[in-house]
Amino acid sequence: MAQQRGYFGLGVEGLSKPMNAGSLMRTAHSFGASFTFAVSPFVDMRGIRHADTSRTADQVPYYQWDTPGDIVLPKGCALVGVELVEQSIMLPSFRHPERAAYVLGPERGSLSQAMIDRCEFVVRIPIAFCVNVGIAGAIVLYDRMISRGRYAERPVKAGGPDMELPPHIHGAQVFRTKRVAKKSPFAKPK
């Protein structure tokens, strides 16, 4: 997996099926999520282990809140809703924040208006109708990975890249302030 700056979390609001929750948490873990969360789930989140074979809750922090107003994210972390609403930003045109928490709605519903109001951004996958919440989460995280990761450019013709991505070159160490070395009274003369 390509290194990316920043971090992300993935969560759900009002989820009602433990297998979907487990699938979503496993997907988040496989893409390198820093945390997972649920807001007012209608399901016992301990039941997700049947689908979450990677045991995500044992590997990354899991948070649960009762309402969108209870959500506490790290400073500078943008809450990004994933929902099919008119004012949503189309996912292929969205620049993912360096620090983000993505939240998806329930299987047979939408994100609550309180959650949409709480989100800094709302994005939509350009599809004709809703897909399974686990698949929607995978699409969003894949888009984040390919847009924020370091990969070789796609070629003009079909197939893989013609050239490998050159290695990252680290520049010289940068000092923000210049310090003048003081002579020690104990230094030996040269």
Side-chain angles (χ1 to χ4, degrees), residues 52-76:
D52 182 12
T53 55
S54 70
R55 301 178 68 90
T56 302
D58 296 339
Q59 310 300 317
V60 298
Y62 167 74
Y63 303 99
Q64 189 168 317
W65 296 289
D66 293 330
T67 69
D70 296 333
I71 297 173
V72 178
L73 296 173
K75 184 177 181 179

Side-chain angles (χ1 to χ4, degrees), residues 83-106:
E83 189 58 70
L84 289 170
V85 292
E86 197 171 312
Q87 70 272 21
S88 299
I89 302 164
M90 288 292 190
L91 187 60
S93 301
F94 179 64
R95 182 165 308 276
H96 293 266
E98 191 170 296
R99 298 170 305 273
Y102 301 92
V103 61
L104 294 100

Side-chain angles (χ1 to χ4, degrees), residues 1-182:
M1 185 161 69
Q3 287 186 327
Q4 298 178 26
R5 293 180 60 89
Y7 59 84
F8 70 92
L10 184 67
V12 292
E13 179 190 32
L15 205 67
S16 63
K17 297 179 181 176
M19 294 298 279
N20 283 343
S23 173
L24 193 63
M25 299 308 171
R26 183 173 187 260
T27 298
H29 187 204
S30 70
F31 275 100
S34 298
F35 60 95
T36 61
F37 63 96
V39 179
S40 61
F42 292 109
V43 63
D44 179 4
M45 293 303 284
R46 291 175 294 186
I48 68 174
R49 293 198 187 269
H50 297 291
D52 182 12
T53 55
S54 70
R55 301 178 68 90
T56 302
D58 296 339
Q59 310 300 317
V60 298
Y62 167 74
Y63 303 99
Q64 189 168 317
W65 296 289
D66 293 330
T67 69
D70 296 333
I71 297 173
V72 178
L73 296 173
K75 184 177 181 179
C77 183
L79 186 60
V80 180
V82 180
E83 189 58 70
L84 289 170
V85 292
E86 197 171 312
Q87 70 272 21
S88 299
I89 302 164
M90 288 292 190
L91 187 60
S93 301
F94 179 64
R95 182 165 308 276
H96 293 266
E98 191 170 296
R99 298 170 305 273
Y102 301 92
V103 61
L104 294 100
E107 298 89 343
R108 293 185 177 158
S110 302
L111 289 174
S112 68
Q113 189 60 50
M115 182 65 79
I116 290 174
D117 292 344
R118 178 85 165 62
C119 290
E120 190 169 334
F121 306 102
V122 179
V123 299
R124 76 181 287 168
I125 301 166
I127 52 180
F129 50 86
C130 292
V131 294
N132 175 278
V133 69
I135 291 174
I139 291 169
V140 170
L141 296 185
Y142 179 76
D143 187 74
R144 179 184 173 86
M145 180 189 71
I146 63 171
S147 65
R148 294 200 51 87
R150 188 171 181 272
Y151 296 96
E153 287 293 318
R154 293 179 193 241
V156 175
K157 63 181 181 8
D162 296 331
M163 297 174 26
E164 290 292 318
L165 184 66
H168 178 73
I169 299 171
H170 296 279
Q173 188 173 6
V174 176
F175 294 98
R176 303 248 183 244
T177 59
K178 281 203 166 198
R179 294 184 185 171
V180 178
K182 294 181 182 179

